[in-house]
Amino acid sequence: MNTNSKSASYAAAGVDVTAGYEAVDRIKPLVASTYIPGVLGDLGGFGGQFAPDFTGMKRPVLVSGTDGVGTKLKLAFLMDKHGTVGIDCVAMCVNDIICGGAMPLFFLDYIACGKNVPSRIEQIVKGITDGCKMSDCALIGGETAEMPGFYPENEYDLAGFAVGMVDADKRIDPEARMQEGDVLLGMTSSGVHSNGFSLVRKVLDIENHWDDHYDELGNSLGAELLRPTVIYVHAIRQLLAAGVDIHGVSHITGGGFYENVPRMMKKGLTAVIDTRSFPRLPIFDIIQRSGNIPTRDMYNTFNMGIGMVVALPKDQAGLAMGTAVRAGQPGYIIGDIKAGDAGVEVLF
């Protein structure tokens, strides 16, 4: 730990630089545990360095994604549990870049807090490193900013970004490949993931009921909602390795099916999704009845049990489903592609 840098004046203003040094010392071994070939240098420099391997690639394309955890963090504050929100942060970034067929290379995080509590920072970064390992990518840098007077002492914000790479000829390109008659493989979610929490917190009055137990959940409300977002990198990687001809991928985040599925669609085609083809998780029933939310709004806000939608040829449906199961990520055939300009039709 740096013992030479200290400032009584800065500490009097609410910023403890020595706490920052302690936090870095705590997270260094966590960060190092994510290193993969290509990482250059150690944590502590001014910029994370990574040397990508272009072997076998004709035209390497870098794909990036950035996101945060949103107001799901309020639940972590209430429960004083900070070990999984880092997984959410990584997931929200790597799940986006995998939609183009890019494999994550590295991740950087940004934590802004009212007070730097090294043990809490360590918990958060532990979750980030867990997410990186699930994604086969390296955590090569980040920033922790102590901002007294801007954030309450026991609160923080968490965001990050990921960079991945794919050969241009192997990109998942719906405009070039998607066609009428393709089927849609829906990969299951773990629950609400990291979207829609402003609505969730309102209708469930989370601040007062996070510890309520629900028999249908077999869990407390808070524990259920804090489940981390599924990372789909390994499953998509296995589908490609098995020879599945993926024509499009959509990460179902905020905006649900109505906003996200059209983002992967080829012009002139529409995805038809039958909601009766996959089970609805109990947490969504609780949210809907508690807020008296119309069914269409539910599918326009939440993932409803499907976190990733993959378009592929009909004759590869069995191969895709079997491969997904072997990758630890079960799914359902939830619809198909037809001609039309609606983008998506959701059948109830």
Side-chain angles (χ1 to χ4, degrees):
M1 185 168 69
N2 190 330
T3 59
N4 192 41
S5 175
K6 58 186 68 176
S7 171
S9 298
Y10 210 1
V15 178
D16 183 358
V17 294
T18 60
Y21 301 142
E22 181 186 343
V24 170
D25 282 346
R26 283 172 173 260
I27 67 176
K28 271 188 174 180
L30 297 173
V31 173
S33 72
T34 71
Y35 286 175
I36 60 176
V39 176
L40 303 177
D42 296 317
L43 185 68
F46 287 99
Q49 300 179 31
F50 192 93
D53 182 1
F54 298 134
T55 303
M57 288 195 170
K58 297 179 181 179
R59 289 191 297 149
V61 176
L62 296 179
V63 182
S64 59
T66 185
D67 211 334
V69 184
T71 62
K72 182 175 184 175
L73 292 175
K74 286 284 190 181
L75 190 56
F77 306 156
L78 285 168
M79 299 175 66
D80 194 23
K81 291 185 180 297
H82 313 280
T84 59
V85 291
I87 299 175
D88 290 302
C89 191
V90 175
M92 296 302 294
C93 298
V94 299
N95 284 345
D96 279 357
I97 67 176
I98 197 68
C99 291
M103 297 302 152
L105 297 173
F106 57 83
F107 184 84
L108 283 84
D109 67 89
Y110 178 76
I111 305 169
C113 56
K115 181 178 177 60
N116 188 328
V117 180
S119 60
R120 186 165 60 209
I121 299 299
E122 182 180 18
Q123 290 180 57
I124 298 168
V125 175
K126 174 62 165 61
I128 294 170
T129 59
D130 287 344
C132 286
K133 291 175 183 177
M134 295 174 193
S135 311
D136 297 322
C137 71
L139 177 60
I140 63 170
E143 175 70 15
T144 300
E146 189 172 19
M147 302 169 64
F150 194 88
Y151 292 97
E153 278 198 2
N154 292 318
E155 296 193 2
Y156 56 86
D157 199 7
L158 173 61
F161 77 92
V163 174
M165 184 170 64
V166 63
D167 198 333
D169 294 337
K170 295 182 179 179
R171 290 183 305 125
I172 296 174
D173 183 2
E175 283 296 322
R177 307 171 85 169
M178 188 177 289
Q179 55 190 347
E180 185 176 4
D182 284 352
V183 296
L184 300 172
L185 171 65
M187 295 186 179
T188 57
S189 73
S190 60
V192 180
H193 282 183
S194 301
N195 303 102
F197 269 84
S198 293
L199 178 58
V200 169
R201 289 169 44 241
K202 178 182 177 182
V203 302
L204 296 181
D205 188 14
I206 285 295
E207 283 75 8
N208 296 309
H209 295 285
W210 62 268
D211 203 26
D212 291 359
H213 183 87
Y214 282 76
D215 289 340
E216 58 202 291
L217 298 176
N219 215 342
S220 72
L221 192 57
E224 183 69 24
L225 291 171
L226 205 58
R227 289 183 188 273
T229 304
V230 173
I231 291 176
Y232 296 97
V233 171
H234 180 64
I236 297 295
R237 189 192 298 270
Q238 291 304 306
L239 289 178
L240 293 170
V244 175
D245 184 15
I246 298 178
H247 291 175
V249 183
S250 176
H251 183 200
I252 309 302
T253 56
F257 292 90
Y258 286 98
E259 179 177 327
N260 292 290
V261 173
R263 295 169 65 183
M264 77 165 179
M265 295 304 299
K266 179 180 179 178
K267 293 178 182 178
L269 295 177
T270 292
V272 181
I273 296 174
D274 187 347
T275 63
R276 297 162 296 185
S277 63
F278 59 91
R280 247 173 69 147
L281 300 178
I283 185 61
F284 296 112
D285 294 329
I286 293 171
I287 292 169
Q288 182 169 16
R289 68 171 181 257
S290 297
N292 194 27
I293 301 171
T295 297
R296 189 188 188 283
D297 286 1
M298 291 294 294
Y299 286 85
N300 205 163
T301 306
F302 303 107
N303 66 63
M304 302 304 291
I306 298 294
M308 190 75 86
V309 176
V310 181
L312 49 95
K314 184 177 182 179
D315 62 4
Q316 291 190 331
L319 171 64
M321 291 184 69
T323 301
V325 169
R326 288 189 293 275
Q329 182 52 64
Y332 302 86
I333 298 300
I334 64 171
D336 56 13
I337 303 295
K338 71 173 187 179
D341 295 316
V344 66
E345 292 181 9
V346 183
L347 309 178
F348 303 114

